[in-house]
Amino acid sequence: MNLKILHFTPYFDRESPLSLHLDHLLSEMGKEAVVSLVTLSNPTSSHETYQHLSIGSGKKDYGRKGLVNLLALQKRYLHILYGIMPDIVHIHGSYNFIASRIELWSRKRGFPVVFSSYGGMNPEFIDAEYGVRTWKMICYQKKMVRGAAAMLLSDVKEGEYLVGQKLTDRVSMVSDPRTDEYSDYEEMAKDTLELYNKVMDSDMGTKLDQNSREAISALLHLCLAPNNERQPLCAEDILNLRGLSPKKWRNLLLYADEQGVASLVLEGIDRAQLKVPAIDLASVSRFTPRHAKSVSPLPSNSLLSGKRQEKNFARRTKDSGEVEKSVCYMLQNIKYHLSHDSLTLRHLCDLYAVYRHDAIDEVSLNALLVQLRLHTFARRISQVMCETVYLSDGFMPVPSLNDHGTEKIRQSLVKY
């Protein structure tokens, strides 16, 4: 199925260099994808390979002096956005307040945004336009860069500035036929579509639907359950697994790889005897998460936070049983990952294995957790494990707790 791309630029005038550039690029891109262009200005002519839509009021210079009805503009844009349901929203042009609202409205509704600033973030241009550009940078231009799923640029200095200023590290360079005689619009369209696919394959935790999330939970539960357990999955889980499309399986495996549980999910697929499309995870081009996720095993006899805290922790747990002590170490390390936005399903699976397969003195563990001020946190983790790996009440050493703190743990798992 072809990608659906929604482009936005404030004004489209056939005589302007940017409009001519976009017309050539979108015409070429429209041969391989479903392409739409949204502007404030009215369409002037029809296009063979893409459609041109307007969210303006019909006036020729609508918005050029900064006077617009934002509520009406938002309503018209969202009507088009949900009518098209694009895979990517691509914004063209710098220092335009309406473009920053388009980026915000799209991103808040879960649509990935690619931003092309066309030299607007080049340090020489910024210095030359010091003054008006400065407050625009502060008010919305930098926020657009930080909020975008990726920056698509042709100016090397512009890319170096964005990375050097730590505004974003998701910069992709493409050759612009206007400045590179060895490039053409067919090549540029191909490179741009490759970037779109890279964006769509990144940050998969924010894009999975509920059925895919339930499928991962079921597969992890199946993989970690004892071999002699008669019915580890219910009928609804089995039907859900059998009903996933090849695209959903691909996204599911990409998310499992991000979370460090791909091998466990594949083992669960084998145990369930499911036929799943083969995917080479290593060959898929993706952006690294903005918050680096840890896929290393969760330590059960040492702390990640440092030697000083570990020494104090060891002193307070020295008279406890080995299993109970291991659980406390693992919970404290999960707390450390939460504070560094590096928590993954891999860590919850490591703790789940201890809950399921080791004999735990629940009375002793509860007393130790209270002493270490980990009891409430452990209850929240029990709730999250109930949702993500189907930990049942009978294997919870502490009862589950669903509160605001639990929601923060859920959000940390999909924070990128």
Side-chain angles (χ1 to χ4, degrees):
M1 186 176 180
N2 291 339
L3 289 178
K4 290 190 287 186
I5 314 300
L6 180 63
H7 295 264
F8 175 82
T9 192
Y11 301 101
F12 192 82
D13 182 356
R14 286 282 187 171
E15 297 179 359
S16 72
L18 178 58
S19 297
L20 289 173
H21 167 71
L22 282 179
D23 182 50
H24 292 315
L25 177 60
L26 270 56
S27 296
E28 197 63 45
M29 191 181 298
K31 298 176 183 178
E32 303 293 335
V34 180
V35 178
S36 302
L37 172 66
V38 173
T39 62
L40 296 176
S41 55
N42 296 324
T44 56
S45 60
S46 60
H47 310 274
E48 293 184 2
T49 58
Y50 69 93
Q51 62 173 338
H52 184 179
L53 306 169
S54 173
I55 56 173
S57 64
K59 296 180 180 179
K60 182 178 179 181
D61 294 326
Y62 178 71
R64 286 190 184 271
K65 297 182 179 180
L67 299 177
V68 296
N69 185 335
L70 270 181
L71 290 177
L73 199 66
Q74 181 184 26
K75 184 178 180 180
R76 289 193 289 267
Y77 175 69
L78 293 181
H79 178 75
I80 292 175
L81 182 70
Y82 284 112
I84 296 175
M85 292 299 291
D87 297 299
I88 297 287
V89 175
H90 191 161
I91 297 176
H92 303 265
S94 298
Y95 303 105
N96 184 275
F97 179 71
I98 301 302
S100 73
R101 298 303 91 187
I102 295 294
E103 190 264 350
L104 181 65
W105 297 336
S106 304
R107 181 167 49 83
K108 281 195 170 183
R109 287 157 180 82
F111 295 89
V113 176
V114 173
F115 179 30
S116 293
S117 51
Y118 294 98
M121 300 300 287
N122 185 304
E124 296 176 359
F125 177 81
I126 295 173
D127 291 342
E129 297 288 337
Y130 185 80
V132 175
R133 298 286 186 233
T134 303
W135 70 262
K136 290 185 176 182
M137 285 274 288
I138 295 172
C139 291
Y140 56 82
Q141 182 78 357
K142 286 186 177 181
K143 290 181 181 178
M144 286 185 68
V145 173
R146 291 192 178 104
M151 294 291 296
L152 183 65
L153 309 174
S154 299
D155 187 335
V156 176
K157 289 185 178 180
E158 191 175 17
E160 291 174 348
Y161 174 79
L162 294 178
V163 175
Q165 293 294 313
K166 297 183 179 180
L167 295 176
T168 183
D169 58 355
R170 297 186 168 194
V171 175
S172 183
M173 307 300 298
V174 297
S175 298
D176 190 331
R178 294 176 298 173
T179 56
D180 186 353
E181 61 179 319
Y182 300 104
S183 177
D184 56 25
Y185 281 102
E186 181 179 358
E187 181 181 352
M188 187 178 186
K190 179 183 176 182
D191 293 341
T192 304
L193 289 171
E194 288 179 358
L195 172 65
Y196 294 158
N197 284 310
K198 185 175 181 178
V199 168
M200 291 178 61
D201 288 337
S202 305
D203 306 336
M204 195 55 68
T206 62
K207 301 166 186 172
L208 285 187
D209 61 6
Q210 187 60 33
N211 288 343
S212 298
R213 295 185 186 280
E214 292 176 357
I216 283 190
S217 299
L219 291 169
L220 291 175
H221 176 76
L222 177 61
C223 171
L224 296 169
N227 293 326
N228 58 358
E229 189 169 333
R230 292 187 60 186
Q231 290 182 320
L233 297 182
C234 64
E236 288 80 2
D237 285 325
I238 295 173
L239 288 174
N240 181 41
L241 288 169
R242 291 176 178 173
L244 294 181
S245 65
K247 181 180 179 181
K248 288 185 177 181
W249 274 117
R250 183 178 185 276
N251 292 344
L252 183 154
L253 290 171
L254 288 174
Y255 175 64
D257 189 50
E258 291 176 356
Q259 293 288 319
V261 293
S263 60
L264 297 178
V265 168
L266 291 172
E267 184 178 340
I269 289 172
D270 289 338
R271 292 187 63 177
Q273 298 181 347
L274 297 168
K275 293 183 178 179
V276 176
I279 173 175
D280 183 6
L281 296 172
S283 66
V284 179
S285 179
R286 288 170 283 178
F287 287 108
T288 56
R290 290 187 171 97
H291 301 280
K293 296 292 185 178
S294 170
V295 295
S296 301
L298 190 67
S300 60
N301 56 7
S302 62
L303 293 184
L304 297 169
S305 52
K307 295 296 182 181
R308 183 175 179 180
Q309 186 176 0
E310 183 176 337
K311 185 177 180 180
N312 183 45
F313 205 84
R315 178 179 56 80
R316 300 174 69 181
T317 59
K318 64 179 181 178
D319 297 327
S320 305
E322 290 301 319
V323 177
E324 292 75 31
K325 188 186 301 184
S326 295
V327 170
C328 292
Y329 271 100
M330 296 176 85
L331 285 168
Q332 187 65 39
N333 285 327
I334 289 177
K335 201 171 185 179
Y336 173 87
H337 281 302
L338 273 173
S339 67
H340 289 76
D341 295 318
S342 56
L343 182 68
T344 57
L345 286 175
R346 168 62 192 268
H347 306 133
L348 298 182
C349 288
D350 289 341
L351 182 59
Y352 175 91
V354 175
Y355 281 180
R356 281 299 307 263
H357 303 298
D358 292 354
I360 300 175
D361 184 338
E362 296 185 4
V363 176
S364 175
L365 177 61
N366 274 266
L368 185 59
L369 289 172
V370 171
Q371 178 189 345
L372 296 171
R373 298 182 180 180
L374 286 172
H375 193 266
T376 300
F377 180 73
R379 293 184 62 193
R380 291 168 176 162
I381 291 296
S382 291
Q383 175 65 33
V384 175
M385 290 171 66
C386 174
E387 299 166 1
T388 55
V389 285
Y390 293 168
L391 178 67
S392 59
D393 292 342
F395 292 98
M396 291 182 186
V398 293
S400 61
L401 173 64
N402 190 9
D403 63 359
H404 183 67
T406 310
E407 180 60 25
K408 287 184 176 180
I409 299 174
R410 294 190 191 100
Q411 293 301 319
S412 179
L413 284 171
V414 295
K415 187 174 183 180
Y416 293 89

